[in-house]
Amino acid sequence: MKKDPVCNMDVNEDAAVKVECDGLVYYFCSEGCKKKFLEQRECKLFRTSYDLIIIGGGPAGLTAAVYAATLKMNAFIITKDLGGQAIDSTKIENYMGFDFITGPELTEKFQYQLIHSHYIDHLLSDVEKIEAAETGFNITTSELKTYSAKTLIIATGMTRRKLRVPGEEEFQRKGIFYGNIQDFSFVHAEDVAVIGGGNSALQIVESLHGIAKNINIVSDTELTADPVIIERINMFKNLKKYEDYKVLEFKGEKTLSSIVVRKMAADEIFDIPVKGVFIAIGLQANSFLVFHLVKVNERGEITINPDCSD
Ligand SMILES: Cc1cc2nc3c(=O)[nH]c(=O)nc-3n(C[C@H](O)[C@H](O)[C@H](O)COP(=O)(O)OP(=O)(O)OC[C@H]3O[C@@H](n4cnc5c(N)ncnc54)[C@H](O)[C@@H]3O)c2cc1C
């Protein structure tokens, strides 16, 4: 047993939240106590060298962290957030053990497991550079702190792809949003468009149903989402589907007022008046950090061996 230096509680060494400060390890009952401790005390010497550093705290990185903790590895996780893309999922129906769970609920459970059951040191930061070093790798974060590791696990996942058409940058957050958002009230009783035809796009259509007046879904292919979701949205009376249509432009004054679309392989171009647009057209791999160290395929995804090595 160890004593939490903030609340004086006895804490189990294995389950406690830990921090290494000036060469000593301190044990806490919670992240809150750790935060208070770090607010009161300036640690000059944080640990910077590990056997394993995991970059990315989505489901893959957090799972790797739990395994590293179980194996009592000298490991560290650096991530921009805890949860990754799963945070944005409004409805997860394929995670064993849960008939239905939202992304935020599931990621809260991941975080609890990491912090309370399988603790390893973690840092919320953006990794900006990875360099090969004599005994492994040096990692530099956006705060210009450098950490070294003998081994790296790259679990940086994917980020949303953009359309790259005129008006997209101009009306970002002034009518154009990426993926599902928490509050759709600004499009209450308004006409909207969802761009994309996969599961993410159709989840947004489901979220907008009952809020927006008319929902236009625009996809440059047929809808590719799971048939069960397509079946559900086909019941919506206020849904208009534009399959095989391309978005050419976003228009408006101060805020978005319409999108310009064109029927693929045809001369049919027209405006769809909308107050809000939600873009979900797929993802691109966050692999640029290691382009110089590993092999990537034509989509920028890291190609790996069956044992996950490069
Ligand atoms: C709206 C939506 C709904 C979804 N619904 C489902 C579903 O119902 N069922 C399902 O199975 N899947 C679903 N998915 C997909 C699922 O969320 C992903 O497959 C999963 O999150 C991938 O996990 P990952 O850990 O590989 O990557 P990600 O979740 O992409 O995590 C990557 C992590 O790396 C971090 N990172 C990236 N770059 C850096 C950097 N430079 N420095 C530090 N950290 C970095 C990110 O912040 C993030 O924490 C959905 C995805 C979305 C967006």
Side-chain angles (χ1 to χ4, degrees):
M1 279 292 180
K2 298 280 175 190
K3 270 245 180 289
D4 181 323
V6 175
C7 67
N8 264 332
M9 214 168 102
D10 285 331
V11 287
N12 179 308
E13 207 170 319
D14 290 332
V17 174
K18 303 178 195 80
V19 76
E20 191 171 313
C21 179
D22 297 338
L24 290 175
V25 181
Y26 294 86
Y27 300 84
F28 304 92
C29 67
S30 65
E31 282 286 317
C33 278
K34 173 180 145 186
K35 195 168 163 237
K36 271 193 201 145
F37 175 83
L38 290 174
E39 279 164 5
Q40 288 159 10
R41 174 170 182 156
E42 197 189 332
C43 301
K44 294 196 179 61
L45 220 60
F46 270 111
R47 207 165 140 207
T48 56
S49 171
Y50 292 86
D51 286 343
L52 167 68
I53 291 185
I54 300 160
I55 303 174
L62 293 180
T63 305
V66 164
Y67 275 89
T70 311
L71 295 168
K72 296 234 168 263
M73 292 178 80
N74 167 23
F76 187 47
I77 178 163
I78 308 178
T79 179
K80 285 193 253 190
D81 55 60
L82 291 173
Q85 292 169 60
I87 298 169
D88 292 335
S89 185
T90 47
K91 207 183 262 180
I92 296 171
E93 294 173 299
N94 60 349
Y95 197 82
M96 287 309 291
F98 300 97
D99 278 344
F100 165 87
I101 189 162
T102 68
E105 280 165 352
L106 185 62
T107 52
E108 200 178 306
K109 287 180 187 296
F110 288 166
Q111 290 174 21
Y112 188 90
Q113 190 171 355
L114 176 77
I115 289 164
H116 295 277
S117 313
H118 297 92
Y119 186 82
I120 71 165
D121 283 356
H122 53 275
L123 171 75
L124 290 184
S125 183
D126 195 344
V127 171
E128 292 192 340
K129 194 163 151 194
I130 300 176
E131 291 166 300
E134 211 171 302
T135 53
F137 302 93
N138 290 331
I139 295 122
T140 308
T141 65
S142 49
E143 297 82 24
L144 304 185
K145 292 248 160 65
T146 301
Y147 298 85
S148 64
K150 290 183 193 153
T151 313
L152 284 185
I153 292 182
I154 307 292
T156 44
M158 319 266 268
T159 41
R160 292 207 173 84
R161 200 164 257 140
K162 293 191 171 182
L163 277 168
R164 304 194 188 288
V165 298
E168 187 176 13
E169 293 301 321
E170 188 184 342
F171 296 113
Q172 237 182 78
R173 307 214 149 264
K174 294 177 190 152
I176 298 181
F177 295 86
Y178 293 88
N180 231 333
I181 60 173
Q182 298 297 323
D183 181 10
F184 285 108
S185 56
F186 75 100
V187 289
H188 180 256
E190 300 283 356
D191 290 349
V192 295
V194 176
I195 318 292
N199 282 352
S200 297
L202 268 60
Q203 276 190 11
I204 300 172
V205 170
E206 288 190 298
S207 303
L208 286 162
H209 185 240
I211 299 173
K213 188 170 158 202
N214 292 303
I215 307 170
N216 302 281
I217 183 152
V218 182
S219 169
D220 59 6
T221 60
E222 282 185 8
L223 300 185
T224 54
D226 295 341
V228 64
I229 311 184
I230 297 181
E231 214 172 276
R232 281 202 301 257
I233 66 145
N234 277 341
M235 317 270 279
F236 299 167
K237 296 218 161 40
N238 61 343
L239 177 74
K240 181 136 198 211
K241 289 190 285 180
Y242 293 95
E243 287 170 280
D244 294 319
Y245 280 81
K246 240 190 162 126
V247 176
L248 297 185
E249 190 183 347
F250 294 102
K251 294 203 302 200
E253 289 293 327
K254 286 199 174 104
T255 58
L256 179 77
S257 59
S258 69
I259 59 175
V260 185
V261 297
R262 177 169 70 78
K263 172 96 178 140
M264 305 268 283
D267 204 13
E268 186 193 326
I269 298 179
F270 54 93
D271 281 29
I272 307 175
V274 286
K275 180 92 188 288
V277 163
F278 303 89
I279 302 174
I281 51 164
L283 303 156
Q284 60 192 37
N286 294 322
S287 53
F288 71 94
L289 283 170
V290 286
F291 271 3
H292 58 300
L293 296 172
V294 298
K295 291 192 284 289
V296 293
N297 66 16
E298 67 289 350
R299 290 191 299 275
E301 296 157 351
I302 301 169
T303 54
I304 54 166
N305 298 315
D307 66 354
C308 287
S309 67
D310 166 47

